[in-house]
């Protein structure tokens, strides 16, 4: 009887002294992006399937572009009208310049004649007045033509900006994936009407996962950003280890989530951290994991 009691006591002590095989626990999560429609129109094509893989920058769908294409053509036609209305300043003032040049010759000729005493002073004054009138007419017409040209040039510039806006809207009709990964959810089907801001699908980068774990304030001195650690993924009947790097540590504490275990069960406040792990294709989002700092 005494031997049985002694054995039970030793077993309890051994169990109480057993250390955890982990320093923190958590679940795996990925960078998720919800892709929304950037343009309004009928969804003509949408080649996305839940669980399927998409590549960054790859086009996966298209919204009807015909209305925007017609608008671009209309803007182009308006610009051509503005271009045709621009005056040919050199041609329109050529005749008036010739008149000014001839009037200047007359003034020079009468000036010499008056100097030689062969002409009346009044004739010279009249020729000078005629030259001044023609010069003012030339200046006024040049100013009018310049104003008209600048106005039409500005209108052409506005048309160019409007066309660039339409081109940008046309580009947004082509749906592309911003990251490479697997499609988690699909919210639309071909033939549906898409509006700006409507979610179309959600994609997750599953090649680089993060174990979101929690540590106590006592453990803060054991970790730092960029530190290399060992991560264990729990597959139920086995655990697989992966090298990891601490990518983020929260600057504010929070109450311990109910589903999380720490090495100190008395800790009420913990700090969240993320450990980056390169996925070999077996780790799944939401899977339980552990991290060891040693």
């Amino acid at each position: 009887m005494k031997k049985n009691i002694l054995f039970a006591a030793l077993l309890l002590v051994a169990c109480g002294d057993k250390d955890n095989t982990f320093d923190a626990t958590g679940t795996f999560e990925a960078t998720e992006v919800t892709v929304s429609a950037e343009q309004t129109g009928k969804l003509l094509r949408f080649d996305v399937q839940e669980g399927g893989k998409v590549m960054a920058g790859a086009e996966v769908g298209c919204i009807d572009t015909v209305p925007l294409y017609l608008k671009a053509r209309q803007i182009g036609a308006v610009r051509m009208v503005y271009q045709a209305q621009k005056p040919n300043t050199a041609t329109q003032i050529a005749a008036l310049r010739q008149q000014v040049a001839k009037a200047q010759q007359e003034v020079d000729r009468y000036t010499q004649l008056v100097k030689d005493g062969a002409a009346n002073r009044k004739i010279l004054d009249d020729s000078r007045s005629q030259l001044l009138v023609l010069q003012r007419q030339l200046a006024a017409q040049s100013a009018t033509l310049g104003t008209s040209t600048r106005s039409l040039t500005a209108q052409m510039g506005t048309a160019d900006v409007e066309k660039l806006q339409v081109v940008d809207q046309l580009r947004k009709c082509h749906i592309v994936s911003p990251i490479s990964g697997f499609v988690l959810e699909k919210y639309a089907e071909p033939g549906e009407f898409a509006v700006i801001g409507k979610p179309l699908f959600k994609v997750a980068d599953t090649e680089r996962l993060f174990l979101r774990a929690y540590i106590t304030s006592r453990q803060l001195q054991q970790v730092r950003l960029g530190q290399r650690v060992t991560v264990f993924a729990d597959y139920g009947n086995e655990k697989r280890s992966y090298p990891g790097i601490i990518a983020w540590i929260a600057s504010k504490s929070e109450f311990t989530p109910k589903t999380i275990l720490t090495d100190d069960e008395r800790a009420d406040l913990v700090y969240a951290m993320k450990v980056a792990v390169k996925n070999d294709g077996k780790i799944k989002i939401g899977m339980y994991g552990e991290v060891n700092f040693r």
Side-chain angles (χ1 to χ4, degrees):
M1 184 67 178
K2 290 183 178 180
K3 290 183 177 180
N4 292 336
I5 295 175
L6 179 60
F7 177 76
L10 291 173
L11 181 63
L12 288 173
V13 171
C15 292
D17 291 340
K18 184 179 180 181
D19 293 333
N20 291 330
T21 59
F22 58 84
D23 291 309
T25 66
T27 55
F28 288 97
E29 59 185 37
T31 300
E32 300 179 1
V33 178
T34 299
V35 180
S36 301
E38 296 183 87
Q39 203 55 45
T40 298
K42 186 177 180 181
L43 196 58
L44 299 181
R45 181 173 59 83
F46 194 40
D47 304 326
V48 168
Q49 299 297 331
E50 291 187 357
K53 188 173 183 179
V54 293
M55 301 303 296
E59 183 176 328
V60 297
C62 183
I63 297 173
D64 187 10
T65 60
V66 172
L68 291 173
Y69 170 75
L70 295 177
K71 185 176 181 180
R73 291 287 301 271
Q74 180 184 12
I75 293 173
V78 171
R79 189 187 188 284
M80 291 179 63
V81 171
Y82 292 148
Q83 178 68 39
Q85 290 178 350
K86 290 182 68 174
N88 190 331
T89 304
T91 302
Q92 295 192 27
I93 65 174
L96 193 54
R97 283 185 181 277
Q98 189 174 2
Q99 294 179 21
V100 170
K102 184 168 180 58
Q104 183 65 56
Q105 292 176 356
E106 291 293 319
V107 169
D108 294 340
R109 186 168 67 88
Y110 285 125
T111 300
Q112 187 61 40
L113 290 174
V114 170
K115 184 178 179 181
D116 295 339
N120 193 326
R121 181 76 184 184
K122 184 177 182 304
I123 298 177
L124 176 59
D125 293 339
D126 292 342
S127 63
R128 285 177 174 173
S129 297
Q130 181 64 24
L131 174 61
L132 183 60
V133 171
L134 291 174
Q135 288 175 335
R136 289 179 176 176
Q137 288 178 353
L138 177 61
Q141 188 171 357
S142 298
T144 301
L145 293 174
T147 301
S148 178
T149 300
R150 287 191 296 271
S151 176
L152 291 170
T153 300
Q155 290 175 318
M156 290 172 60
T158 301
D160 290 337
V161 173
E162 291 177 352
K163 190 170 184 177
L164 289 175
Q165 290 175 339
V166 174
V167 170
D168 180 63
Q169 292 172 348
L170 281 168
R171 180 186 59 81
K172 292 178 179 178
C173 286
H174 299 273
I175 305 167
V176 298
S177 176
I179 62 174
S180 297
F182 288 89
V183 178
L184 300 181
E185 296 180 60
K186 180 181 180 181
Y187 307 117
E189 296 292 340
E192 294 184 6
F193 191 81
V195 295
I196 296 177
K198 176 183 178 180
L200 300 177
F201 68 99
K202 181 187 291 186
V203 59
D205 179 7
T206 55
E207 293 185 1
R208 186 170 183 260
L209 296 181
F210 296 91
L211 176 65
R212 186 182 186 92
Y214 295 84
I215 56 177
T216 63
S217 57
R218 180 175 56 82
Q219 292 175 295
L220 279 176
Q221 61 182 354
Q222 303 178 32
V223 299
R224 66 182 187 280
L225 291 177
Q227 178 179 339
R228 296 184 180 275
V229 296
T230 303
V231 174
F232 299 91
D234 190 348
Y235 294 98
N237 57 349
E238 68 170 322
K239 290 184 180 180
R240 187 182 297 270
S241 64
Y242 299 87
I245 297 177
I246 298 179
W248 172 78
I249 302 173
S251 58
K252 184 178 180 181
S253 63
E254 58 183 283
F255 287 103
T256 307
K258 294 181 179 179
T259 57
I260 297 301
L261 296 176
T262 65
D263 69 339
D264 185 356
E265 296 181 358
R266 299 170 300 173
D268 292 328
L269 295 176
V270 292
Y271 294 84
M273 60 178 292
K274 287 185 179 181
V275 181
V277 180
K278 184 173 179 59
N279 191 6
D280 59 357
K282 295 184 178 181
I283 306 177
K284 306 300 180 184
I285 298 174
M287 183 181 291
Y288 176 80
E290 301 170 351
V291 58
N292 193 323
F293 302 145
R294 292 161 291 188

